[in-house]
Amino acid sequence: MHRVVALVRPPQSTFELACAAQVFGIERPGLPMRYAFSMCTERPGPVATYAGYDMLVTDGLDALDQADTVVIPGWLPTTEPPSPAVVRVLRRAHSHGARVVSICSGAFALAHAGLLDGRRATTHWALADALAARFPHIRVDPNVLYVDHGDVATSAGAGAGFDLCMHLVRSDQGARYAAHIARTMVMPPHREGGQLQYSAPPHPAQIDGTLAPLLEWITARLSEPVTIESMAAHAGVSTRTLTRRFAEQLGTSPGQWLLAQRIATARDLLESSDLPLEAIARRVGLSSATNLRRRFLNTLGTTPGAYRRAFRAKPR
């Protein structure tokens, strides 16, 4: 079991904590449990929350010494630095090999611990300037939903905590396992685009027509040579209008969204079947094993064969 420990503090933001608890701490029918989730705090006992209730947290900071992943589910107010004891335990957990993860404002705690120095990181878009100003050695990226360096990861604003946690599950257990979790939460296993698409009230044009029917139509035809022209024709709009709607609603282009769906389906087939690469490539619309390998490597940084070896053998 991979041990995930969330470090909470009063007053704790409950949504950021729930992101980690929902992904790592829930037992789901038909899915083997591969994570053990718990919480700890600097002073065990009742921990106040922004939601108006107290949580009883019985484990102290020494629980982080047993963690495989440490989660900082927000750090508010951001103007209050963590205590020397918290800084020491975060550094110790990291040096002992634990993956250290922040959600939303939790990046400020990692920054105080020096774990983000010289690295690219993110936080809530409204806090990005403050993080960059207080910690000039951090390369703050306010656009992305998360940044993962393997040993340290940061997420953007609160809801992006789900995106990061789901990404970590995909990295640990594979796309099929992550997709099962996503389905139980009634949410997509991966969101396209960055957080800046959420940073301002939408212009009326952004809600002028939903893409959902078109996305369903495309997903049902991944094996076919779908083009932006055929997408636009099916939606009854021009290619320019279609491109604008993808950018406004999904934060990406039609071509990039289509490629992401092809890769996601290929990952699922690599994990769940013994189909040869040529057959998988044809089934997801990438024409050949050579093209599949190239797209897979560019997107995921690994080959289809290596991905299958890493995830196909795991028991379901």
Side-chain angles (χ1 to χ4, degrees):
M1 296 286 279
H2 184 109
R3 291 161 296 186
V4 180
V5 181
L7 172 60
V8 300
R9 71 184 295 264
Q12 177 62 44
S13 177
T14 54
F15 184 85
E16 286 87 335
L17 176 60
C19 290
Q22 183 70 25
V23 172
F24 298 115
I26 302 296
E27 186 172 353
R28 295 172 169 87
L31 194 68
M33 282 291 289
R34 293 181 181 157
Y35 296 97
F37 180 80
S38 63
M39 298 183 296
C40 72
T41 190
E42 186 171 8
R43 297 178 180 85
V47 175
T49 71
Y50 278 105
Y53 59 82
D54 290 355
M55 302 184 298
L56 181 61
V57 181
T58 57
D59 288 340
L61 294 179
D62 56 352
L64 297 182
D65 292 331
Q66 307 302 318
D68 299 301
T69 293
V70 174
V71 179
I72 312 296
W75 192 268
L76 295 173
T78 59
T79 53
E80 293 185 9
S83 70
V86 168
V87 169
R88 282 195 301 272
V89 75
L90 289 177
R91 290 174 176 170
R92 185 169 69 238
H94 179 257
S95 68
H96 289 171
R99 177 173 60 193
V100 184
V101 175
S102 69
I103 296 175
C104 194
S105 57
F108 284 79
L110 301 193
H112 279 289
L115 299 181
L116 301 180
D117 287 354
R119 296 179 186 250
R120 180 169 160 262
T122 193
T123 187
H124 193 289
W125 58 266
L127 300 172
D129 288 345
L131 182 65
R134 292 180 63 185
F135 302 96
H137 296 300
I138 301 173
R139 301 194 303 277
V140 179
D141 187 341
N143 182 41
V144 296
L145 292 174
Y146 54 82
V147 177
D148 180 17
H149 295 283
D151 60 325
V152 174
T154 54
S155 92
F162 277 123
D163 295 282
L164 176 55
C165 290
M166 291 303 302
H167 161 75
L168 297 177
V169 171
R170 279 196 306 274
S171 299
D172 293 343
Q173 313 296 344
R176 194 176 184 85
Y177 189 96
H180 188 122
I181 293 178
R183 283 193 297 271
T184 67
M185 296 193 300
V186 197
M187 65 175 290
H190 176 70
R191 282 194 295 168
E192 300 295 334
Q195 69 166 330
L196 289 189
Q197 62 188 304
Y198 306 102
S199 65
H203 186 276
Q206 288 182 275
I207 56 175
D208 180 20
T210 176
L211 286 172
L214 175 63
L215 301 184
E216 292 179 4
W217 180 83
I218 297 170
T219 303
R221 291 163 174 78
L222 290 182
S223 62
E224 301 174 14
V226 178
T227 65
I228 186 172
E229 288 78 14
S230 62
M231 295 183 204
H234 182 79
V237 298
S238 68
T239 56
R240 177 177 295 183
T241 297
L242 182 70
T243 299
R244 187 184 72 247
R245 288 184 181 176
F246 265 80
E248 291 169 345
Q249 296 184 30
L250 299 176
T252 189
S253 69
Q256 287 300 313
W257 185 89
L258 176 59
L259 177 60
Q261 305 317 301
R262 296 192 195 281
I263 294 296
T265 303
R267 291 172 72 171
D268 181 74
L269 290 171
L270 286 167
E271 295 177 36
S272 62
S273 77
D274 293 315
L275 289 172
L277 293 188
E278 285 288 348
I280 291 176
R282 289 192 299 271
R283 187 169 294 192
V284 303
L286 290 177
S287 72
S288 69
T290 299
N291 191 30
L292 172 62
R293 290 188 188 95
R294 180 171 63 87
R295 298 289 191 175
F296 213 85
L297 185 60
N298 289 342
T299 303
L300 301 177
T302 188
T303 65
Y307 184 87
R308 172 173 268 169
R309 286 191 295 274
F311 295 112
R312 178 72 177 102
K314 290 191 174 185
R316 298 295 173 192

